[in-house]
Amino acid sequence: MKENKGLLIVISGPSGVGKGTICKCLLERNDGLSLSVSATTRAPRDEDVDGVTYFFKTVDEFKAMIEKGEFFEWAVYNKNYYGTPAPPVLESLEKGKDIILEIDVQGALNVKPRFPQGVYVFVAPPDMETLRERLRGRGSESAEQISNRIAAADGEMAKRFEYDYIVVNDNLDNAVADVEAIIRAEKLRTERMAKKSEN
Ligand code: ADP
Ligand code: 5GP
């Protein structure tokens, strides 16, 4: 019998919409899920832990990783490099383990045509004012960085229909339940497709 591969779950959307919060809840509530740890050249925030929230790299280190083909995908977001190291993602999928990538819109839409068997979820804010309030409320970036992130959000929102699903993060519990329902349905679909290809 053909073994099932893991499901690649891409969670994306504007900065401050609640992607990290949703992913944290998903991991707490679902034992089988794991989250890919990205590499970045941005400065660590107080709550960041190297190797846990991100692998912090210099620009030269990051560029060397690009040259060696070590990334599943990478992008420049607000003048910093961000990338998904390939080996942990490929190993998880090969072992049949589901893995989440929490990445920006450019990265997600770059992966989608190359990896159509993944599921692509755009997390949207209830409205743009709420997005601004959440970014300000998080208090982790300077006023200038917040404006840059809000400026990027309009272009990112315009790409939302290129995803498989749009989940509005108004009430957090509802948004988490929506993503769980998507994962469950996609797993049933990919399992059915694997069975069909056996016959
Ligand atoms: P992202 O990872 O998309 O940049 P975060 O998960 O850091 O966003 O969330 C940004 C801020 O919004 C955080 O302070 C978080 O606690 C808050 N937040 C997330 N989801 C909700 C929600 N549904 N309702 C209210 N606040 C939320
Ligand atoms: P932050 O600086 O707030 O941690 O992240 C900024 C943006 O970069 C967020 O939209 C986040 O999802 C995205 N991001 C984080 N890791 C990666 C990655 O590995 N690849 C890409 N393309 N984007 C990432």
Side-chain angles (χ1 to χ4, degrees):
M1 186 173 151
K2 211 173 182 180
E3 243 182 85
N4 275 322
K5 302 259 192 249
L7 180 66
L8 180 79
I9 303 143
V10 177
I11 306 279
S12 186
S15 179
V17 75
K19 301 181 296 294
T21 309
I22 291 173
C23 289
K24 190 166 170 272
C25 294
L26 287 171
L27 293 174
E28 281 167 5
R29 286 166 44 160
N30 298 275
D31 282 345
L33 280 180
S34 66
L35 180 69
S36 156
V37 179
S38 298
T40 185
T41 60
R42 85 145 160 77
R45 298 176 189 146
D46 286 348
E47 69 278 15
D48 278 319
V49 180
D50 195 11
V52 177
T53 50
Y54 278 106
F55 295 106
F56 291 94
K57 303 286 175 193
T58 63
V59 172
D60 285 346
E61 286 169 342
F62 198 101
K63 286 185 175 165
M65 289 176 78
I66 297 175
E67 269 163 33
K68 284 190 241 157
E70 291 179 12
F71 286 118
F72 187 68
E73 63 75 38
W74 63 272
V76 176
Y77 175 85
N78 267 320
K79 299 184 185 153
N80 287 306
Y81 288 90
Y82 293 83
T84 305
V89 174
L90 300 177
E91 276 162 32
S92 285
L93 297 177
E94 206 48 45
K95 283 184 191 154
K97 290 188 181 162
D98 306 330
I99 184 159
I100 303 177
L101 308 191
E102 192 226 298
I103 61 177
D104 86 319
V105 171
Q106 303 164 71
L109 294 180
N110 167 346
V111 175
K112 194 168 179 263
R114 288 194 284 122
F115 208 90
Q117 62 274 47
V119 58
Y120 295 81
V121 180
F122 186 95
V123 182
D127 52 67
M128 294 310 265
E129 191 45 41
T130 306
L131 182 69
R132 273 188 209 102
E133 279 163 20
R134 284 188 191 162
L135 263 177
R136 286 194 205 113
R138 185 168 71 184
S140 53
E141 283 92 16
S142 66
E144 190 197 346
Q145 285 166 342
I146 292 176
S147 330
N148 289 341
R149 284 172 183 236
I150 289 168
D154 280 335
E156 292 166 340
M157 287 295 287
K159 302 252 166 73
R160 66 194 185 280
F161 297 110
E162 295 180 38
Y163 285 72
D164 298 322
Y165 298 93
I166 300 173
V167 167
V168 178
N169 181 20
D170 191 350
N171 172 285
L172 179 64
D173 284 340
N174 290 347
V176 174
D178 284 348
V179 180
E180 284 174 337
I182 290 167
I183 295 173
R184 177 86 188 117
E186 288 291 320
K187 285 187 69 68
L188 289 171
R189 196 171 63 83
T190 48
E191 279 162 22
R192 176 182 59 80
M193 277 158 44
K195 287 205 179 90
K196 192 176 165 197
S197 71
E198 277 166 34
N199 296 324

